[in-house]
């Protein structure tokens, strides 16, 4: 295994969430701008392989416009210097929708693994260079649904479920890793093995409002870096929207989402991972993604808010704003003041939240809406309203989480 190969360049991205809205605003222009920039980056960096680690779409029933953006991008990349594209399904994606055109896309060297396959050999891809010689092995493991990796049994405890989920994920990766190593050994020379996945790693960083769902009941199966096979020369993960390493390892990474999913990510620098292989040694460089739609989170008393709005106005700033008022003064006309402050500017306020409890009591502030709550918050509020005893709430919440998870994982496109 001493034969040297020319450097191989991979680009790792994930969590596009095409079709996602922000407080009712459609964001197709942002998605189109990002995909155009990504295609240009692939050409400028002379990328050989593109890896997309799940959550291509925001829902399992993507709109026609979302689909158009996706397929136009794949067609553009297919005629570029990029020899291969590997796409895995995420927890937001419909496996059947992603898989439907996979045979057609394969003719363009676009490989799609929307869901766990019956034969795990189908998740181990041998990719070849322009001369037809193998240059890379990709273990394209999609989001593993609960039913893919464990058998539910009556009377299971939370600990039993966690153990089975971790074992299921570990066994799945161990199997595909062994298959990849076997393929490499048969070649008789070193080529890189890259793992892919869409899951939640232990210690992973999230931010408020990023829309990252817990993948398993009770926030279980936050896997550690040690669960992945040592044969992986690089691990490309999706699901977490903050760019980060796994367990501090340079070659185990979340690329993060390329667009901020909410105002909590407004100041976060988004990036994609450019990975260069010399034989099986990988080096990683982050390429910053431009800001296509500015988001601004403003929080404070009226003086702090008005000063910041004035600063933005004097610089002719464009953007969407979220304003959180937490001053001591009771302001009954907060929205009117804010709208007046941004009149004749190119800014738009998408969300106003007044943290003054007294204002809520007096009915003078913005009412709390469902946009401020997730499905688990709503259920907990119901339990409180109906005065369900505390000793019953844990079991009811667990049952509710299982129902919600089954709804998320139900592939409505399969019918």
């Amino acid at each position: 295994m001493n034969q040297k190969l020319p450097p191989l360049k991979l680009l790792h991205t994930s969590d596009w969430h095409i079709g996602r809205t922000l407080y009712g605003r459609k964001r197709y222009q942002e998605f189109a701008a990002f995909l155009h920039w990504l295609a240009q980056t692939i050409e400028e960096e002379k990328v050989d392989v593109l890896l997309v680690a799940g959550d291509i779409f925001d829902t399992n029933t993507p709109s026609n416009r979302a689909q158009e953006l996706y397929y136009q991008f794949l067609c553009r990349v297919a005629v570029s210097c990029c020899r291969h594209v590997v796409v895995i399904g995420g927890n937001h994606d419909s496996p059947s929708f992603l898989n439907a055109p996979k045979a057609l896309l394969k003719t363009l060297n676009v490989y799609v693994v929307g869901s766990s396959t019956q034969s795990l050999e189908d998740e181990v891809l041998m990719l070849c260079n322009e001369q037809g010689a193998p240059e890379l092995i990709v273990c394209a493991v999609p989001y593993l649904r609960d039913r893919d990796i464990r058998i539910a049994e009556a009377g299971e405890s939370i600990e039993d479920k966690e153990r089975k989920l971790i074992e299921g994920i570990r066994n799945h990766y161990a199997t595909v890793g062994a298959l990849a190593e076997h393929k490499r050994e048969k070649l008789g020379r070193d080529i890189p093995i890259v793992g892919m996945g869409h899951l939640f790693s232990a210690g992973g960083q999230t931010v408020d409002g990023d829309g990252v769902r817990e993948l398993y009941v009770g926030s279980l199966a936050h896997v550690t870096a040690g669960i992945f096979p040592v044969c992986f020369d690089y691990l490309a993960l999706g699901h977490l929207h903050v760019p980060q390493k796994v367990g501090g390892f340079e070659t185990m990474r979340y690329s993060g989402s390329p667009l901020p999913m909410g105002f909590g990510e407004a100041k976060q620098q988004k990036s994609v991972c450019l990975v260069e292989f010399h034989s099986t040694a990988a080096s990683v460089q982050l390429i910053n993604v431009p800001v296509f739609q500015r988001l601004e989170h403003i929080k404070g008393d009226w003086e702090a808010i008005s000063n910041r709005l004035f600063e933005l106005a004097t610089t002719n700033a464009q953007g969407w704003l979220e304003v959180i008022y937490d001053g001591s003064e009771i302001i009954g006309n907060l929205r009117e003041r804010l709208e007046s402050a941004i009149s004749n500017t190119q800014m738009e306020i998408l969300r106003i939240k007044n943290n003054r409890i007294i204002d809520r009591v007096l009915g003078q502030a913005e009412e709390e809406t469902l946009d401020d709550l997730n499905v688990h918050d709503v259920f907990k509020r119901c339990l409180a309203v109906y005065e369900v005893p505390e000793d019953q709430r844990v079991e009811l919440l667990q049952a509710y989480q299982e129902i919600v998870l089954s709804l998320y994982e139900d592939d409505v496109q399969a019918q």
Side-chain angles (χ1 to χ4, degrees):
M1 292 191 175
N2 296 321
Q3 182 179 346
K4 287 187 177 181
L5 295 173
L8 179 69
K9 282 189 175 182
L10 280 64
L11 196 65
H12 163 207
T13 178
S14 72
D15 296 276
W16 297 349
H17 289 276
I18 303 174
R20 185 179 180 87
T21 60
L22 184 60
Y23 293 107
R25 297 299 190 277
K26 297 186 187 303
R27 307 178 69 181
Y28 291 121
Q29 286 186 336
E30 285 178 82
F31 294 118
F34 162 67
L35 292 174
H36 175 71
W37 172 86
L38 184 61
Q40 281 189 321
T41 301
I42 288 170
E43 292 164 0
E44 290 169 2
E45 296 291 341
K46 296 180 172 53
V47 170
D48 301 302
V49 181
L50 174 67
L51 306 176
V52 189
D55 280 356
I56 289 81
F57 299 102
D58 194 55
T59 72
N60 58 14
T61 54
S63 68
N64 289 340
R65 178 64 175 138
Q67 295 177 49
E68 181 183 20
L69 290 174
Y70 172 61
Y71 291 119
Q72 283 181 344
F73 170 78
L74 292 181
C75 288
R76 177 174 174 179
V77 173
V79 296
S80 72
C81 59
C82 186
R83 291 192 287 275
H84 308 282
V85 179
V86 182
V87 178
I88 61 169
N91 60 300
H92 281 252
D93 296 313
S94 161
S96 59
F97 176 82
L98 285 185
N99 283 336
K102 67 183 301 180
L104 177 61
L105 291 175
K106 191 174 180 180
T107 64
L108 301 176
N109 291 321
V110 177
Y111 305 89
V112 178
V113 183
S115 61
S116 180
T117 56
Q118 288 187 340
S119 173
L120 294 191
E121 287 195 11
D122 295 336
E123 296 177 17
V124 182
L125 311 174
M126 179 81 79
L127 306 184
C128 297
N129 61 20
E130 293 170 322
Q131 290 73 42
E135 63 178 346
L136 178 69
I137 299 173
V138 179
C139 295
V141 180
Y143 165 55
L144 299 174
R145 286 163 165 76
D146 190 309
R147 59 179 174 267
D148 296 330
I149 50 179
R150 78 174 182 95
I151 299 175
E153 297 180 12
E156 283 183 312
S157 66
I158 291 287
E159 292 74 19
D160 291 333
K161 291 181 179 180
E162 179 172 18
R163 176 179 51 79
K164 285 186 176 181
L165 286 166
I166 294 293
E167 287 179 357
I169 294 170
R170 184 191 302 277
N171 292 339
H172 192 105
Y173 273 97
T175 301
V176 296
L179 289 168
E181 281 195 291
H182 181 66
K183 286 178 180 288
R184 183 160 66 180
E185 288 172 1
K186 286 180 66 177
L187 285 176
R189 57 187 176 84
D190 275 337
I191 63 172
I193 297 176
V194 170
M196 297 180 70
H198 192 91
L199 43 76
F200 203 138
S201 68
Q205 182 185 357
T206 61
V207 296
D208 290 339
D210 63 6
V212 173
R213 296 176 188 157
E214 289 295 352
L215 297 178
Y216 303 102
V217 173
S219 305
L220 301 177
H222 291 194
V223 303
T224 63
I227 209 168
F228 301 105
V230 295
C231 67
F232 287 171
D233 298 301
Y234 181 78
L235 179 65
L237 293 181
H239 184 56
L240 300 186
H241 296 168
V242 180
Q244 57 196 283
K245 302 172 188 176
V246 179
F249 293 98
E250 284 288 334
T251 56
M252 302 174 71
R253 290 181 179 264
Y254 287 96
S255 64
S257 60
L259 302 183
M261 294 294 110
F263 286 98
E265 300 178 53
K267 294 183 179 180
Q268 186 185 114
Q269 178 59 63
K270 298 297 188 178
S271 58
V272 295
C273 301
L274 181 65
V275 186
E276 185 167 319
F277 278 104
H278 293 268
S279 184
T280 59
S283 60
V284 184
Q285 173 192 348
L286 300 186
I287 300 178
N288 291 339
V289 178
V291 175
F292 304 108
Q293 170 64 57
R294 180 173 179 174
L295 302 182
E296 179 87 18
H297 171 84
I298 305 174
K299 183 177 181 179
D301 58 15
W302 176 248
E303 182 179 5
I305 291 171
S306 60
N307 286 343
R308 181 57 181 155
L309 291 176
F310 178 77
E311 290 173 5
L312 293 171
T314 55
T315 58
N316 295 317
Q318 303 180 22
W320 290 342
L321 311 180
E322 176 186 56
V323 179
I324 309 296
Y325 174 73
D326 62 0
S328 58
E329 178 189 0
I330 297 174
I331 301 178
N333 62 338
L334 180 60
R335 179 174 290 277
E336 288 78 6
R337 285 197 193 185
L338 292 170
E339 293 295 347
S340 176
I342 65 166
S343 62
N344 301 318
T345 73
Q346 299 185 69
M347 297 180 290
E348 182 179 1
I349 298 176
L350 300 195
R351 182 177 185 241
I352 301 171
K353 186 175 181 181
N354 195 324
N355 284 341
R356 287 283 289 155
I357 297 176
I358 294 176
D359 286 352
R360 288 186 177 176
V361 173
L362 296 176
Q364 292 178 320
E366 296 294 318
E367 295 295 331
E368 186 175 52
T369 69
L370 287 177
D371 285 330
D372 300 312
L373 305 171
N374 62 38
V375 292
H376 303 298
D377 294 329
V378 173
F379 188 71
K380 290 175 183 176
R381 298 283 180 92
C382 290
L383 295 178
V385 167
Y386 287 98
E387 299 179 349
V388 175
E390 288 290 341
D391 60 346
Q392 297 179 23
R393 294 189 185 188
V394 174
E395 189 173 350
L396 286 171
L397 183 59
Q398 180 182 339
Y400 173 75
Q401 288 175 324
E402 289 182 351
I403 293 169
V404 171
L405 181 63
S406 68
L407 291 174
Y408 282 148
E409 293 192 345
D410 186 25
D411 188 3
V412 296
Q413 298 278 50
Q415 302 301 320

